[in-house]
Amino acid sequence: TDDLDAAAPGRAVYLTRVDAHSAAASTALRAAADLAGLDGYHPQRPLTAAAHHAVRAAARALLTPDERARARAAALDDYAAHGIVAVHECGGPDIAGRDDFAELLATDHGVQVRGYWGEAVTTAEQARALLTATGGHALGGDLFVDGALGSHTAWLTAPYTDRPGCCGTAYLTVEQMAAHLRACTEAGIQAGFHVIGDAAVDAAVQAFAAVAADLGGPAVAARGHRLEHLEMVTAAQGERLGSWGVIASMQPSFDALWGGPDRLYATRLGAGRAAGLNPFAPLAATGMSLAFGSDAPVTAARPWPMLRAAVHHRTPGSGISPRAAFAAATRGAWRAGGVRDGIAGTLDPGAPASYAVWDAGELVVSAPKDSVQRWSTDPRSRVAPLPNLEPGTPDPVLLRSVHRGRVVYAR
């Protein structure tokens, strides 16, 4: 705090960490948030948990409607320029608030926005009322069970390697999660949670198991509930979650930035625990449905680097084939968004006219990096080729994108 005050005397300064789960704030901004006594408060160090949510709200209140509108337009224009025709907005009371959420959903742009509101409910009636009040598509997304590894707020079963005694932050109990899942399932609404740490994942598994035992597995699976991030998950947990139709909404770029034996995850968890993060191939092998995204602005919404990261995972055996990665970013993403018609995200007769045209250079049929492929790479097999995703290869250049017949971008 003193450093910020010296650099910007009297100014309200909010500097969020890249994961958006902690932030440094100047005295002027802290004074507007009434932080003393809140979880995660410290007079000098970055703020986490409830203290961070409070100072974030204070910073957000300083933005004018015009500033918010310009920021939304810039973000949607950026997505459009990289071949994205639809996005999932994971909003909530502690993220950007209802005003911003409503304004975004009302924005007229070629990029479609599907809104997820992260606020827990306890009854089906509350779920229906909240969905109506927010105008959202579902009640999940960033409904925090825990925080993030970089901010030491992901909920762990054993302490952080670089902060002994700290196991992160738990925002919801198993009982609260189960109540939310039960209410949404009964109301016919898709639900979900933000889970990163292994304790958070275990809590999610317990909550789903309780609701499935109560309402039946088919009733739970019919809703297509989803879990955001799901980084510290085991294959055994994935098998159980997959049996309940839970979708793993994951971000391959996390591994590219922070995976491996000498990067952030290893610093926070030790190399052993870090090697098990984001296990795409083991999860896919259980039959659990994968959906890939960016978690923007945490990582940039860049489809081809994301796919390359999924294929070339830093842990041997965790990467998936280009074909599987492409499916997770297209069909899987639409499925995670609640579109379960079987054709969204494909180039098939009868599918919605949503597509992108790329200058991709040479197209190839690639086998999985770490396992035996389930299809032939012989050109005579007529398996659809894809752009080359080997490290160092150039990204395809977007020429044109269309969503449901409307041109979103033209080079």
Side-chain angles (χ1 to χ4, degrees), residues 4-407:
L4 291 182
D5 290 344
R11 301 295 295 273
V13 180
Y14 173 81
L15 295 179
T16 182
R17 196 181 183 284
V18 65
D19 57 33
H21 284 271
S22 61
S26 64
T27 297
L29 186 59
R30 286 167 174 257
D34 191 20
L35 304 175
L38 296 179
D39 289 342
Y41 171 76
H42 189 280
Q44 288 294 330
R45 293 201 294 263
L47 305 166
T48 63
H52 172 238
H53 294 159
V55 79
R56 181 186 182 101
R60 192 172 67 236
L62 298 176
L63 297 174
T64 67
D66 183 60
E67 287 170 330
R68 292 198 301 268
R70 292 202 305 270
R72 284 192 297 273
L76 293 170
D77 287 348
D78 180 71
Y79 304 150
H82 290 88
I84 297 166
V85 299
V87 295
H88 301 176
E89 166 66 0
C90 293
D94 296 321
I95 299 173
R98 286 202 188 185
D99 288 346
D100 181 81
F101 190 74
E103 290 165 355
L104 177 59
L105 295 185
T107 299
D108 182 18
H109 195 283
V111 174
Q112 178 187 352
V113 180
R114 300 181 72 82
Y116 283 76
W117 184 253
E119 186 174 352
V121 296
T122 58
T123 68
E125 291 73 19
Q126 287 181 349
R128 295 187 187 98
L130 183 59
L131 199 65
T132 299
T134 60
H137 162 73
L139 298 178
D142 273 341
L143 176 46
F144 299 129
V145 174
D146 66 344
L149 291 165
S151 292
H152 292 100
T153 52
W155 184 16
L156 306 180
T157 56
Y160 284 86
T161 298
D162 61 346
R163 188 171 290 182
C166 174
C167 286
T169 303
Y171 293 111
L172 294 174
T173 66
V174 172
E175 292 73 23
Q176 289 171 317
M177 296 168 67
H180 180 75
L181 280 172
R182 184 177 294 105
C184 289
T185 299
E186 291 177 338
I189 295 170
Q190 184 187 25
F193 302 98
H194 162 117
V195 294
I196 288 182
D198 55 353
V201 175
D202 183 62
V205 172
Q206 291 184 55
F208 274 102
V211 177
D214 184 14
L215 302 181
V220 174
R223 300 277 63 82
H225 301 310
R226 57 192 272 183
L227 292 175
E228 306 303 318
H229 316 311
L230 200 63
E231 293 198 73
M232 294 183 73
V233 62
T234 67
Q237 290 171 325
E239 187 171 0
R240 297 188 73 191
L241 291 168
S243 72
W244 300 315
V246 180
I247 298 168
S249 174
M250 306 179 79
Q251 294 73 38
S253 295
F254 286 6
D255 178 73
L257 288 173
W258 304 309
D262 56 358
R263 299 196 177 205
L264 172 72
Y265 290 155
T267 299
R268 292 288 187 267
L269 303 173
R273 280 191 292 178
L277 265 63
N278 300 295
F280 305 135
L283 276 187
T286 69
M288 191 174 188
S289 179
L290 304 185
F292 286 161
S294 66
D295 198 31
V298 176
T299 67
R302 301 292 183 266
W304 299 107
M306 177 188 74
L307 295 176
R308 194 173 288 112
V311 173
H312 300 284
H313 198 290
R314 293 185 181 276
T315 299
S318 285
I320 58 177
S321 72
R323 187 183 184 199
F326 193 80
T330 53
R331 287 178 293 172
W334 281 109
R335 189 182 302 117
V339 182
R340 308 175 73 184
D341 57 14
I343 56 174
T346 70
L347 294 176
D348 292 321
S354 300
Y355 59 89
V357 180
W358 302 85
D359 181 356
E362 181 185 6
L363 300 178
V364 298
V365 177
S366 300
K369 181 180 178 183
D370 301 311
S371 62
V372 177
Q373 73 271 18
R374 298 178 182 177
W375 59 87
S376 173
T377 57
D378 189 315
R380 291 171 296 181
S381 67
R382 304 187 71 176
V383 173
L386 292 169
N388 192 338
L389 295 179
E390 287 302 303
T393 55
D395 292 342
V397 176
L398 179 66
L399 302 180
R400 179 184 179 91
S401 62
V402 174
H403 181 44
R404 298 186 180 275
R406 177 181 177 181
V407 175

